[in-house]
Amino acid sequence: MTQINFTRPATTVVLAMSADGKISDVTRSPLPLGSKIDKSHLEQQVFLADGVLFGAGTLRAGGTAMRIIAPQLIQQRKQLGKPPQPVQILCSRSGEINPQLPFFQQPVPRWLLTTRHGSCKWEQRPEFEKILVFENPPSKSKSDNPSVDFTAALQHLATLGLKRVAVLGGGELIASLLAANLIDEFWLTVCPLILGGDKAPTPVDGAGFLIQQAPRLELVEVKQVEHELFLHYRLQR
């Protein structure tokens, strides 16, 4: 268990990937890669979290958030003095999300993490309980729009009582969090299939890291269940 940094929530990336390191196929299919065992593992990680953070592309692909279903886990959260479901935090710089997605009908608390531009589409609307606006200034290139300031955003989440956040993708979001040194742990499920494709998403997309600057991991735990491997890594600081 990662020691909690009280200036921001502890963050754990939880993903299933193919044996060749893809988190979906080239069509970004919403079909899950993992087995029922992997889904149970994912639900357990969501159970431990105060918030679940995911990107707009992940939501568009699946249409719904990963919420807790098992009655015993919901009961355990209540016994711990927690709400039945962790807050679902959608990250979208543009705010371009279809309000007809099933996500907006799920019985979960919903927050939006966005920029000033992205917030305009959702102000005075009921879909999100909170709209969190944190943005970096635009770069010198006029074509670049402001991006989300994740450091400030996570620090603010800590002030709202979130001590642990599960990050469920996608690759661009995780790349941004890694670049800002805001990831503490990875739980990667390696699934027994090969997807291939140079356009298929990976756990960490974005511009990538040179070898000299690449984040280093410490292997904490390995579990094999049937043909799946569950790898638990901690970021080396």
Side-chain angles (χ1 to χ4, degrees):
M1 190 73 72
T2 298
Q3 184 176 359
I4 294 174
N5 179 344
F6 287 101
T7 63
R8 65 166 177 83
T11 52
T12 302
V13 173
V14 190
L15 290 175
M17 66 181 189
S18 64
D20 59 330
K22 308 293 185 179
I23 58 175
S24 185
D25 60 23
V26 293
T27 69
R28 297 181 180 263
S29 169
L31 297 176
L33 298 182
S35 65
K36 291 182 179 179
I37 297 171
D38 173 63
K39 186 175 181 180
S40 177
H41 165 76
L42 174 57
E43 187 174 8
Q44 178 66 31
Q45 295 303 313
V46 171
F47 158 78
L48 294 171
D50 301 305
V52 177
L53 179 64
F54 53 95
T58 298
L59 178 61
R60 294 188 191 104
T64 60
M66 178 62 202
R67 64 188 182 95
I68 303 170
I69 302 296
Q72 67 273 21
L73 293 181
I74 294 175
Q75 183 61 31
Q76 286 181 44
R77 284 182 61 90
K78 291 179 179 179
Q79 292 172 351
L80 292 170
K82 295 184 177 182
Q85 299 288 338
V87 62
Q88 302 285 335
I89 308 168
L90 170 62
C91 179
S92 173
R93 178 172 65 179
S94 69
E96 295 289 347
I97 303 295
N98 181 359
Q100 301 303 315
L101 287 173
F103 167 65
F104 293 104
Q105 304 304 317
Q106 290 181 286
V108 295
R110 284 175 290 271
W111 297 355
L112 175 64
L113 174 57
T114 186
T115 61
R116 284 190 289 270
H117 172 75
S119 70
C120 294
K121 301 174 176 63
W122 297 96
E123 291 174 351
Q124 311 304 319
R125 292 181 62 104
E127 285 87 354
F128 293 102
E129 295 180 8
K130 291 183 185 295
I131 299 178
L132 309 175
V133 176
F134 292 91
E135 68 177 34
N136 292 306
S139 68
K140 295 180 181 179
S141 171
K142 294 183 180 179
S143 62
D144 286 351
N145 294 319
S147 58
V148 173
D149 184 342
F150 288 106
T151 299
L154 264 67
Q155 289 173 347
H156 183 67
L157 291 181
T159 69
L160 296 176
L162 276 65
K163 296 181 179 180
R164 190 168 300 279
V165 168
V167 183
L168 305 191
E172 292 281 351
L173 172 61
I174 294 168
S176 297
L177 293 171
L178 273 174
N181 197 26
L182 296 173
I183 296 295
D184 298 308
E185 295 180 319
F186 278 85
W187 265 110
L188 299 174
T189 304
V190 181
C191 305
L193 75 166
I194 300 290
L195 290 175
D198 59 358
K199 298 297 191 296
T202 70
V204 184
D205 286 334
F209 299 94
L210 298 176
I211 291 179
Q212 296 90 336
Q213 289 81 38
R216 273 12 188 215
L217 305 177
E218 173 189 352
L219 184 61
V220 178
E221 183 180 358
V222 179
K223 295 191 297 184
Q224 179 179 352
V225 183
E226 296 182 357
H227 299 291
E228 291 178 328
L229 285 179
F230 295 83
L231 307 178
H232 184 193
Y233 288 100
R234 181 181 297 124
L235 267 290
Q236 292 185 5
R237 301 301 186 193

